[in-house]
Amino acid sequence: AQSVAQPEDQVNVAEGNPLTVKCTYSVSGNPYLFWYVQYPNRGLQFLLKYITGDNLVKGSYGFEAEFNKSQTSFHLKKPSALVSDSALYFCAVRASNTPLVFGKGTRLSVIA
Amino acid sequence: DVKVTQSSRYLVKRTGEKVFLECVQDMDHENMFWYRQDPGLGLRLIYFSYDVKMKEKGDIPEGYSVSREKKERFSLILESASTNQTSMYLCASSLLGDEQFFGPGTRLTVL
């Protein structure tokens, strides 16, 4: 069975500083990894995914994530945080032909 | 752009009522999903469907059923609503193996 851990419930960062939201996973076989963002009272929006290929994946709104197979991690990063990045972020994983399993979410707060 | 719509943004029902939550997608996606979202628990999969008239149980199917009579529509049914089903319900759709697109959610309160 697959699982996802987001070890931080909350991440606070100053505007303009780099941000990292952590994610580790467990899955049998090759992982399919995703990041989603949720703004208040909205559904989830897709940010980026890793299926295969380059370990550094670039996505929407300047976000990127690095796949690290040995550490089973897929941390979300952005070089310079904006106040508008404040939201709830979800990491998700699946094996082939299985539904996504989501982490519990990390609330990012960017302070001006 | 893919659009996933849900029939209501907010819904208030009484204990014991039968509740229907409707989800429609406009991109001919094979896969559709129903999740509930609760603080501190993330998203939990209730049911999913890979094709018309097909359904699979997710992690928490108890107290719920689903219907998929048409490819674009996936309905979640609470046969007899209970207070512990108060939650945010999210519908999603995807092509086979691809990322999921989510609807705006329905916040259901059961009194």
Side-chain angles (χ1 to χ4, degrees), chain A residues 48-60:
Chain A
L48 50 79
K49 66 181 177 183
Y50 172 84
I51 306 296
T52 186
D54 195 346
N55 289 346
L56 185 64
V57 180
K58 294 188 183 298
S60 306

Side-chain angles (χ1 to χ4, degrees), chain B residues 2-104:
Chain B
V2 175
K3 191 152 188 185
V4 180
T5 56
Q6 296 183 228
S7 49
S8 305
R9 293 298 304 272
Y10 300 93
L11 208 53
V12 179
K13 296 292 181 181
R14 298 223 173 258
T15 302
E17 280 193 77
K18 190 168 186 176
V19 181
F20 293 88
L21 302 182
E22 304 283 343
C23 175
V24 178
Q25 50 94 4
D26 66 358
M27 284 301 291
D28 202 34
H29 284 172
E30 297 95 351
N31 306 327
M32 296 190 76
F33 307 84
W34 274 107
Y35 297 87
R36 64 177 283 176
Q37 181 181 7
D38 301 287
L41 297 178
L43 273 72
R44 292 180 291 167
L45 182 63
I46 304 171
Y47 268 97
F48 60 103
S49 169
Y50 287 140
D51 202 349
V52 176
K53 296 193 185 294
M54 294 184 67
K55 60 184 179 184
E56 299 281 347
K57 292 180 180 179
D59 299 318
I60 52 163
E62 295 79 18
Y64 304 94
S65 62
V66 291
S67 173
R68 194 164 181 203
E69 296 296 317
K70 294 184 178 181
K71 190 174 186 179
E72 67 270 19
R73 187 179 298 269
F74 192 36
S75 303
L76 180 70
I77 303 152
L78 286 65
E79 294 289 342
S80 178
S82 62
T83 55
N84 62 13
Q85 293 179 309
T86 292
S87 186
M88 169 72 91
Y89 289 87
L90 294 168
C91 175
S93 73
S94 73
L95 290 170
L96 188 64
D98 214 345
E99 68 264 25
Q100 294 180 7
F101 294 86
F102 283 81

Side-chain angles (χ1 to χ4, degrees), chain A residues 17-46:
Chain A
N17 282 3
L19 69 87
T20 299
V21 182
K22 295 179 181 177
C23 172
T24 59
Y25 66 89
S26 173
V27 68
S28 298
N30 293 324
Y32 296 69
L33 293 154
F34 301 79
W35 275 102
Y36 286 83
V37 60
Q38 186 180 36
Y39 298 102
N41 298 314
R42 303 283 296 274
L44 274 67
Q45 294 179 31
F46 168 76

Side-chain angles (χ1 to χ4, degrees), chain A residues 2 27 32 93-101, chain B residues 33 48 50 100:
Chain A
Q2 51 252 32
V27 68
Y32 296 69
V93 68
R94 67 174 180 85
S96 64
N97 300 322
T98 62
L100 277 178
V101 172
Chain B
F33 307 84
F48 60 103
Y50 287 140
Q100 294 180 7

Side-chain angles (χ1 to χ4, degrees), chain A residues 62-73:
Chain A
F63 283 93
E64 58 189 28
E66 186 166 12
F67 170 63
N68 187 316
K69 188 172 183 178
S70 62
Q71 297 186 6
T72 61
S73 67

